[in-house]
PDB file of all heavy atoms in Angstrom:
ATOM      1  N   GLY S   1     113.278  76.798 104.508  1.00  0.00           N
ATOM      2  CA  GLY S   1     114.346  77.787 104.157  1.00  0.00           C
ATOM      3  C   GLY S   1     113.761  78.750 103.196  1.00  0.00           C
ATOM      4  O   GLY S   1     112.680  78.634 102.610  1.00  0.00           O
ATOM      5  N   PHE S   2     114.558  79.831 103.017  1.00  0.00           N
ATOM      6  CA  PHE S   2     114.073  80.998 102.185  1.00  0.00           C
ATOM      7  C   PHE S   2     114.752  80.887 100.765  1.00  0.00           C
ATOM      8  O   PHE S   2     115.932  80.599 100.677  1.00  0.00           O
ATOM      9  CB  PHE S   2     114.466  82.307 102.768  1.00  0.00           C
ATOM     10  CG  PHE S   2     113.692  82.636 104.101  1.00  0.00           C
ATOM     11  CD1 PHE S   2     114.387  82.551 105.279  1.00  0.00           C
ATOM     12  CD2 PHE S   2     112.306  82.956 104.105  1.00  0.00           C
ATOM     13  CE1 PHE S   2     113.654  82.853 106.437  1.00  0.00           C
ATOM     14  CE2 PHE S   2     111.725  83.197 105.221  1.00  0.00           C
ATOM     15  CZ  PHE S   2     112.401  83.093 106.413  1.00  0.00           C
ATOM     16  N   ASP S   3     113.985  81.207  99.823  1.00  0.00           N
ATOM     17  CA  ASP S   3     114.478  81.432  98.447  1.00  0.00           C
ATOM     18  C   ASP S   3     114.774  82.895  98.312  1.00  0.00           C
ATOM     19  O   ASP S   3     113.835  83.679  98.022  1.00  0.00           O
ATOM     20  CB  ASP S   3     113.522  80.906  97.490  1.00  0.00           C
ATOM     21  CG  ASP S   3     114.138  80.725  96.087  1.00  0.00           C
ATOM     22  OD1 ASP S   3     115.268  81.145  95.808  1.00  0.00           O
ATOM     23  OD2 ASP S   3     113.370  80.305  95.188  1.00  0.00           O
ATOM     24  N   VAL S   4     116.036  83.302  98.490  1.00  0.00           N
ATOM     25  CA  VAL S   4     116.341  84.766  98.657  1.00  0.00           C
ATOM     26  C   VAL S   4     116.181  85.555  97.313  1.00  0.00           C
ATOM     27  O   VAL S   4     115.865  86.710  97.390  1.00  0.00           O
ATOM     28  CB  VAL S   4     117.633  85.047  99.366  1.00  0.00           C
ATOM     29  CG1 VAL S   4     117.636  84.574 100.722  1.00  0.00           C
ATOM     30  CG2 VAL S   4     118.838  84.431  98.549  1.00  0.00           C
ATOM     31  N   ARG S   5     116.511  84.928  96.201  1.00  0.00           N
ATOM     32  CA  ARG S   5     116.411  85.661  94.952  1.00  0.00           C
ATOM     33  C   ARG S   5     115.047  86.267  94.645  1.00  0.00           C
ATOM     34  O   ARG S   5     114.883  87.387  94.397  1.00  0.00           O
ATOM     35  CB  ARG S   5     116.905  84.852  93.746  1.00  0.00           C
ATOM     36  CG  ARG S   5     116.825  85.645  92.437  1.00  0.00           C
ATOM     37  CD  ARG S   5     117.533  84.921  91.341  1.00  0.00           C
ATOM     38  NE  ARG S   5     118.974  84.758  91.606  1.00  0.00           N
ATOM     39  CZ  ARG S   5     119.663  83.671  91.285  1.00  0.00           C
ATOM     40  NH1 ARG S   5     119.209  82.683  90.641  1.00  0.00           N
ATOM     41  NH2 ARG S   5     120.968  83.674  91.618  1.00  0.00           N
ATOM     42  N   PRO S   6     113.965  85.397  94.717  1.00  0.00           N
ATOM     43  CA  PRO S   6     112.660  86.038  94.566  1.00  0.00           C
ATOM     44  C   PRO S   6     112.220  86.977  95.553  1.00  0.00           C
ATOM     45  O   PRO S   6     111.494  87.895  95.341  1.00  0.00           O
ATOM     46  CB  PRO S   6     111.713  84.810  94.465  1.00  0.00           C
ATOM     47  CG  PRO S   6     112.502  83.679  94.451  1.00  0.00           C
ATOM     48  CD  PRO S   6     113.901  83.994  94.829  1.00  0.00           C
ATOM     49  N   ILE S   7     112.771  86.883  96.800  1.00  0.00           N
ATOM     50  CA  ILE S   7     112.479  87.781  97.888  1.00  0.00           C
ATOM     51  C   ILE S   7     113.126  89.161  97.473  1.00  0.00           C
ATOM     52  O   ILE S   7     112.419  90.241  97.634  1.00  0.00           O
ATOM     53  CB  ILE S   7     112.982  87.333  99.307  1.00  0.00           C
ATOM     54  CG1 ILE S   7     112.224  86.157  99.789  1.00  0.00           C
ATOM     55  CG2 ILE S   7     112.908  88.534 100.268  1.00  0.00           C
ATOM     56  CD1 ILE S   7     112.732  85.489 100.964  1.00  0.00           C
ATOM     57  N   ARG S   8     114.298  89.186  96.996  1.00  0.00           N
ATOM     58  CA  ARG S   8     114.935  90.334  96.476  1.00  0.00           C
ATOM     59  C   ARG S   8     114.158  91.094  95.393  1.00  0.00           C
ATOM     60  O   ARG S   8     113.970  92.304  95.416  1.00  0.00           O
ATOM     61  CB  ARG S   8     116.351  90.052  96.022  1.00  0.00           C
ATOM     62  CG  ARG S   8     116.953  91.206  95.237  1.00  0.00           C
ATOM     63  CD  ARG S   8     117.966  91.892  96.010  1.00  0.00           C
ATOM     64  NE  ARG S   8     117.676  93.195  96.383  1.00  0.00           N
ATOM     65  CZ  ARG S   8     118.429  93.846  97.297  1.00  0.00           C
ATOM     66  NH1 ARG S   8     119.318  93.322  97.941  1.00  0.00           N
ATOM     67  NH2 ARG S   8     118.088  95.135  97.555  1.00  0.00           N
ATOM     68  N   GLU S   9     113.719  90.277  94.468  1.00  0.00           N
ATOM     69  CA  GLU S   9     112.889  90.724  93.340  1.00  0.00           C
ATOM     70  C   GLU S   9     111.604  91.356  93.892  1.00  0.00           C
ATOM     71  O   GLU S   9     111.145  92.460  93.327  1.00  0.00           O
ATOM     72  CB  GLU S   9     112.663  89.631  92.316  1.00  0.00           C
ATOM     73  CG  GLU S   9     113.825  89.158  91.542  1.00  0.00           C
ATOM     74  CD  GLU S   9     113.682  87.916  90.828  1.00  0.00           C
ATOM     75  OE1 GLU S   9     112.568  87.309  90.819  1.00  0.00           O
ATOM     76  OE2 GLU S   9     114.658  87.421  90.224  1.00  0.00           O
ATOM     77  N   ALA S  10     110.926  90.723  94.854  1.00  0.00           N
ATOM     78  CA  ALA S  10     109.708  91.271  95.395  1.00  0.00           C
ATOM     79  C   ALA S  10     109.956  92.540  96.128  1.00  0.00           C
ATOM     80  O   ALA S  10     109.130  93.523  96.040  1.00  0.00           O
ATOM     81  CB  ALA S  10     109.057  90.249  96.347  1.00  0.00           C
ATOM     82  N   ILE S  11     111.046  92.634  96.863  1.00  0.00           N
ATOM     83  CA  ILE S  11     111.393  93.902  97.585  1.00  0.00           C
ATOM     84  C   ILE S  11     111.660  95.000  96.494  1.00  0.00           C
ATOM     85  O   ILE S  11     111.082  96.094  96.656  1.00  0.00           O
ATOM     86  CB  ILE S  11     112.575  93.702  98.504  1.00  0.00           C
ATOM     87  CG1 ILE S  11     112.132  92.868  99.700  1.00  0.00           C
ATOM     88  CG2 ILE S  11     113.100  95.146  98.954  1.00  0.00           C
ATOM     89  CD1 ILE S  11     113.274  92.385 100.605  1.00  0.00           C
ATOM     90  N   ASP S  12     112.443  94.694  95.557  1.00  0.00           N
ATOM     91  CA  ASP S  12     112.803  95.724  94.476  1.00  0.00           C
ATOM     92  C   ASP S  12     111.533  96.158  93.761  1.00  0.00           C
ATOM     93  O   ASP S  12     111.495  97.385  93.341  1.00  0.00           O
ATOM     94  CB  ASP S  12     113.799  95.152  93.519  1.00  0.00           C
ATOM     95  CG  ASP S  12     115.220  94.952  94.125  1.00  0.00           C
ATOM     96  OD1 ASP S  12     115.470  95.606  95.263  1.00  0.00           O
ATOM     97  OD2 ASP S  12     116.051  94.315  93.566  1.00  0.00           O
ATOM     98  N   SER S  13     110.560  95.334  93.556  1.00  0.00           N
ATOM     99  CA  SER S  13     109.418  95.688  92.793  1.00  0.00           C
ATOM    100  C   SER S  13     108.264  96.252  93.731  1.00  0.00           C
ATOM    101  O   SER S  13     107.199  96.560  93.230  1.00  0.00           O
ATOM    102  CB  SER S  13     108.896  94.577  91.971  1.00  0.00           C
ATOM    103  OG  SER S  13     108.329  93.549  92.863  1.00  0.00           O
ATOM    104  N   GLY S  14     108.504  96.438  95.020  1.00  0.00           N
ATOM    105  CA  GLY S  14     107.541  96.928  95.904  1.00  0.00           C
ATOM    106  C   GLY S  14     106.540  95.963  96.433  1.00  0.00           C
ATOM    107  O   GLY S  14     105.613  96.323  97.114  1.00  0.00           O
ATOM    108  N   GLY S  15     106.862  94.664  96.311  1.00  0.00           N
ATOM    109  CA  GLY S  15     105.922  93.663  96.819  1.00  0.00           C
ATOM    110  C   GLY S  15     105.807  93.635  98.261  1.00  0.00           C
ATOM    111  O   GLY S  15     104.870  92.971  98.807  1.00  0.00           O
ATOM    112  N   PHE S  16     106.799  94.176  98.990  1.00  0.00           N
ATOM    113  CA  PHE S  16     106.695  94.224 100.463  1.00  0.00           C
ATOM    114  C   PHE S  16     106.437  95.632 100.973  1.00  0.00           C
ATOM    115  O   PHE S  16     106.493  95.849 102.163  1.00  0.00           O
ATOM    116  CB  PHE S  16     108.007  93.693 101.034  1.00  0.00           C
ATOM    117  CG  PHE S  16     108.237  92.309 100.963  1.00  0.00           C
ATOM    118  CD1 PHE S  16     108.897  91.643  99.879  1.00  0.00           C
ATOM    119  CD2 PHE S  16     107.706  91.394 102.045  1.00  0.00           C
ATOM    120  CE1 PHE S  16     109.072  90.270  99.883  1.00  0.00           C
ATOM    121  CE2 PHE S  16     107.889  90.003 101.878  1.00  0.00           C
ATOM    122  CZ  PHE S  16     108.547  89.427 100.903  1.00  0.00           C
ATOM    123  N   GLY S  17     106.004  96.499 100.036  1.00  0.00           N
ATOM    124  CA  GLY S  17     105.680  97.837 100.459  1.00  0.00           C
ATOM    125  C   GLY S  17     106.787  98.769 100.361  1.00  0.00           C
ATOM    126  O   GLY S  17     107.870  98.412  99.911  1.00  0.00           O
ATOM    127  N   GLU S  18     106.609  99.995 100.740  1.00  0.00           N
ATOM    128  CA  GLU S  18     107.574 101.070 100.710  1.00  0.00           C
ATOM    129  C   GLU S  18     108.530 100.811 101.828  1.00  0.00           C
ATOM    130  O   GLU S  18     108.377  99.999 102.732  1.00  0.00           O
ATOM    131  CB  GLU S  18     106.924 102.410 101.034  1.00  0.00           C
ATOM    132  CG  GLU S  18     105.944 102.860  99.916  1.00  0.00           C
ATOM    133  CD  GLU S  18     106.703 103.088  98.673  1.00  0.00           C
ATOM    134  OE1 GLU S  18     107.782 103.757  98.687  1.00  0.00           O
ATOM    135  OE2 GLU S  18     106.204 102.655  97.565  1.00  0.00           O
ATOM    136  N   TRP S  19     109.751 101.461 101.749  1.00  0.00           N
ATOM    137  CA  TRP S  19     110.904 101.278 102.689  1.00  0.00           C
ATOM    138  C   TRP S  19     110.248 101.638 104.067  1.00  0.00           C
ATOM    139  O   TRP S  19     109.642 102.652 104.263  1.00  0.00           O
ATOM    140  CB  TRP S  19     112.070 102.160 102.374  1.00  0.00           C
ATOM    141  CG  TRP S  19     113.222 101.737 103.287  1.00  0.00           C
ATOM    142  CD1 TRP S  19     114.208 100.964 103.041  1.00  0.00           C
ATOM    143  CD2 TRP S  19     113.393 102.248 104.677  1.00  0.00           C
ATOM    144  NE1 TRP S  19     115.072 100.885 104.146  1.00  0.00           N
ATOM    145  CE2 TRP S  19     114.584 101.627 105.124  1.00  0.00           C
ATOM    146  CE3 TRP S  19     112.721 103.074 105.514  1.00  0.00           C
ATOM    147  CZ2 TRP S  19     115.096 101.901 106.355  1.00  0.00           C
ATOM    148  CZ3 TRP S  19     113.257 103.296 106.760  1.00  0.00           C
ATOM    149  CH2 TRP S  19     114.392 102.670 107.219  1.00  0.00           C
ATOM    150  N   ARG S  20     110.573 100.860 104.968  1.00  0.00           N
ATOM    151  CA  ARG S  20     110.344 101.124 106.422  1.00  0.00           C
ATOM    152  C   ARG S  20     111.358 100.342 107.267  1.00  0.00           C
ATOM    153  O   ARG S  20     112.037  99.427 106.682  1.00  0.00           O
ATOM    154  CB  ARG S  20     108.929 100.770 106.780  1.00  0.00           C
ATOM    155  CG  ARG S  20     108.517  99.348 106.605  1.00  0.00           C
ATOM    156  CD  ARG S  20     107.030  99.058 106.624  1.00  0.00           C
ATOM    157  NE  ARG S  20     106.630  97.661 106.559  1.00  0.00           N
ATOM    158  CZ  ARG S  20     106.671  96.907 105.491  1.00  0.00           C
ATOM    159  NH1 ARG S  20     107.005  97.455 104.304  1.00  0.00           N
ATOM    160  NH2 ARG S  20     106.363  95.686 105.552  1.00  0.00           N
ATOM    161  N   GLU S  21     111.386 100.566 108.513  1.00  0.00           N
ATOM    162  CA  GLU S  21     112.360  99.907 109.401  1.00  0.00           C
ATOM    163  C   GLU S  21     112.209  98.385 109.367  1.00  0.00           C
ATOM    164  O   GLU S  21     113.162  97.666 109.231  1.00  0.00           O
ATOM    165  CB  GLU S  21     112.148 100.426 110.824  1.00  0.00           C
ATOM    166  CG  GLU S  21     113.437 100.472 111.541  1.00  0.00           C
ATOM    167  CD  GLU S  21     113.367 101.237 112.775  1.00  0.00           C
ATOM    168  OE1 GLU S  21     112.761 102.282 112.875  1.00  0.00           O
ATOM    169  OE2 GLU S  21     114.038 100.831 113.827  1.00  0.00           O
ATOM    170  N   ASP S  22     111.008  97.819 109.345  1.00  0.00           N
ATOM    171  CA  ASP S  22     110.760  96.368 109.345  1.00  0.00           C
ATOM    172  C   ASP S  22     111.363  95.831 108.016  1.00  0.00           C
ATOM    173  O   ASP S  22     111.983  94.709 108.071  1.00  0.00           O
ATOM    174  CB  ASP S  22     109.297  96.078 109.389  1.00  0.00           C
ATOM    175  CG  ASP S  22     108.659  96.451 110.652  1.00  0.00           C
ATOM    176  OD1 ASP S  22     109.424  96.595 111.692  1.00  0.00           O
ATOM    177  OD2 ASP S  22     107.461  96.660 110.710  1.00  0.00           O
ATOM    178  N   LEU S  23     111.211  96.503 106.942  1.00  0.00           N
ATOM    179  CA  LEU S  23     111.781  96.029 105.648  1.00  0.00           C
ATOM    180  C   LEU S  23     113.316  96.004 105.734  1.00  0.00           C
ATOM    181  O   LEU S  23     113.943  95.105 105.134  1.00  0.00           O
ATOM    182  CB  LEU S  23     111.281  96.818 104.501  1.00  0.00           C
ATOM    183  CG  LEU S  23     111.590  96.317 103.116  1.00  0.00           C
ATOM    184  CD1 LEU S  23     111.100  94.954 102.920  1.00  0.00           C
ATOM    185  CD2 LEU S  23     111.026  97.340 102.021  1.00  0.00           C
ATOM    186  N   ALA S  24     113.891  96.959 106.330  1.00  0.00           N
ATOM    187  CA  ALA S  24     115.342  97.016 106.470  1.00  0.00           C
ATOM    188  C   ALA S  24     115.858  95.832 107.296  1.00  0.00           C
ATOM    189  O   ALA S  24     116.913  95.209 106.924  1.00  0.00           O
ATOM    190  CB  ALA S  24     115.787  98.366 107.164  1.00  0.00           C
ATOM    191  N   VAL S  25     115.165  95.490 108.279  1.00  0.00           N
ATOM    192  CA  VAL S  25     115.518  94.276 109.088  1.00  0.00           C
ATOM    193  C   VAL S  25     115.404  93.005 108.252  1.00  0.00           C
ATOM    194  O   VAL S  25     116.280  92.212 108.329  1.00  0.00           O
ATOM    195  CB  VAL S  25     114.629  94.179 110.409  1.00  0.00           C
ATOM    196  CG1 VAL S  25     114.870  92.858 111.148  1.00  0.00           C
ATOM    197  CG2 VAL S  25     114.915  95.342 111.339  1.00  0.00           C
ATOM    198  N   LEU S  26     114.373  92.889 107.485  1.00  0.00           N
ATOM    199  CA  LEU S  26     114.210  91.702 106.546  1.00  0.00           C
ATOM    200  C   LEU S  26     115.369  91.659 105.634  1.00  0.00           C
ATOM    201  O   LEU S  26     115.912  90.605 105.319  1.00  0.00           O
ATOM    202  CB  LEU S  26     112.855  91.842 105.857  1.00  0.00           C
ATOM    203  CG  LEU S  26     112.645  90.692 104.818  1.00  0.00           C
ATOM    204  CD1 LEU S  26     112.573  89.307 105.509  1.00  0.00           C
ATOM    205  CD2 LEU S  26     111.341  90.944 104.064  1.00  0.00           C
ATOM    206  N   MET S  27     115.758  92.795 105.049  1.00  0.00           N
ATOM    207  CA  MET S  27     116.859  92.839 104.125  1.00  0.00           C
ATOM    208  C   MET S  27     118.178  92.409 104.723  1.00  0.00           C
ATOM    209  O   MET S  27     118.907  91.585 104.104  1.00  0.00           O
ATOM    210  CB  MET S  27     117.002  94.245 103.498  1.00  0.00           C
ATOM    211  CG  MET S  27     115.841  94.626 102.566  1.00  0.00           C
ATOM    212  SD  MET S  27     115.841  96.323 102.082  1.00  0.00           S
ATOM    213  CE  MET S  27     117.286  96.341 101.038  1.00  0.00           C
TER     214      MET S  27
END
């Protein structure tokens, strides 16, 4: 299962890169 809070923090801090379509699907 996913631990969503740290995923959110990583997205917000750029840990998954700049916004792109793939990132929107992950969100």
Side-chain angles (χ1 to χ4, degrees):
F2 295 107
D3 191 355
V4 296
R5 181 171 294 144
I7 293 172
R8 167 106 246 166
E9 292 167 1
I11 288 171
D12 289 345
S13 68
F16 285 92
E18 294 296 317
W19 188 96
R20 60 192 187 283
E21 212 165 323
D22 296 337
L23 188 56
V25 171
L26 176 62
M27 292 171 67

